[in-house]
Amino acid sequence: NIKALIFDLDGVIVFTDKFHYQAWKKVSDKMGIYFDETINNRLRGVSRAESLEIILEKYNGELSDQEKAEMMEEKNIIYRELLETMTADDVTDDVRDTLKKLREGGYKLAIGSSSKNAVFILEKVDLLDAFDGISDGNNITHSKPDPEVFLKAADFIREAAENCLVVEDACAGIDAAKAAGMTAVGIGDASDYGKTDIQISSFKELPDVINRLLAQA
Ligand code: B16
Ligand code: MG
């Protein structure tokens, strides 16, 4: 019985991969590391530290933990400058209206994101109040595909995992949702991933998807 929805942030509610790309590109260019959009696609849903490890596959050399930390810090400063340009217009009407409709329907809504910048992003796009709980990169020790981020989200909104439906754009996120014992809805990149329970092509299909699940229950 679906009583709550947990949303991934990047790739579902907002689209910041272009900013991740620009920021990582600056940092990798400075180090002479090859980086392109294809590599950037592999960073979807992956933590900052794991993203750096993927980028460093093209680096011939060894970096100390301190040097890696500096690269991540530099990337994050550039990324946050780019995030500063975001406004309410960076969320589609479909997303905003659907969230409103779901809340009016009595569903609890939460965020389950790997990002440490989740609250900052939600503030910028004026969606902080749309959610009852936010689980993000700051409250987890294991990133997706580990279920921790979604289990914490369910905890925050006091809902049993089996009553939660997760909306995700990344395969690692779908795996995490299934490992948490939740229903997984794939959108965007994850929409044709074999492990999704339900695939959608647009956010506004969500209320119908839930109604269908409730009718089956
Ligand atoms: P940050 P999500 C993820 O967000 C992004 O998809 C991923 O590309 C990024 O590396 C990760 O957050 C960490 O972000 O550097 O801001 O902590 O899709 O889980 O909402
Ligand atoms: Mg995502």
Side-chain angles (χ1 to χ4, degrees), residues 8 10-11 45 168-169:
D8 173 55
D10 284 338
E168 255 291 349
D169 72 307

Side-chain angles (χ1 to χ4, degrees), residues 70-144:
E70 280 166 17
M71 279 180 81
M72 286 194 279
E73 162 94 37
E74 194 185 343
K75 182 266 174 174
N76 197 49
I77 290 170
I78 302 166
Y79 179 59
R80 283 179 71 105
E81 275 167 20
L82 295 165
L83 291 179
E84 277 291 356
T85 64
M86 292 186 91
T87 67
D89 288 339
D90 286 295
V91 170
T92 64
D93 289 342
D94 273 358
V95 168
R96 211 176 281 278
D97 295 348
T98 304
L99 290 172
K100 195 163 165 253
K101 194 169 166 184
L102 290 167
R103 205 180 222 180
E104 285 166 1
Y107 295 98
K108 293 185 218 170
L109 307 180
I111 288 287
S113 165
S114 305
S115 175
K116 293 188 172 168
N117 294 299
V119 169
F120 182 61
I121 294 170
L122 289 169
E123 272 171 358
K124 295 301 297 179
V125 300
D126 195 23
L127 269 185
L128 201 52
D129 294 341
F131 298 96
D132 306 296
I134 293 166
S135 172
D136 64 20
N138 299 299
N139 61 249
I140 53 170
T141 48
H142 300 95
S143 48
K144 302 168 189 175

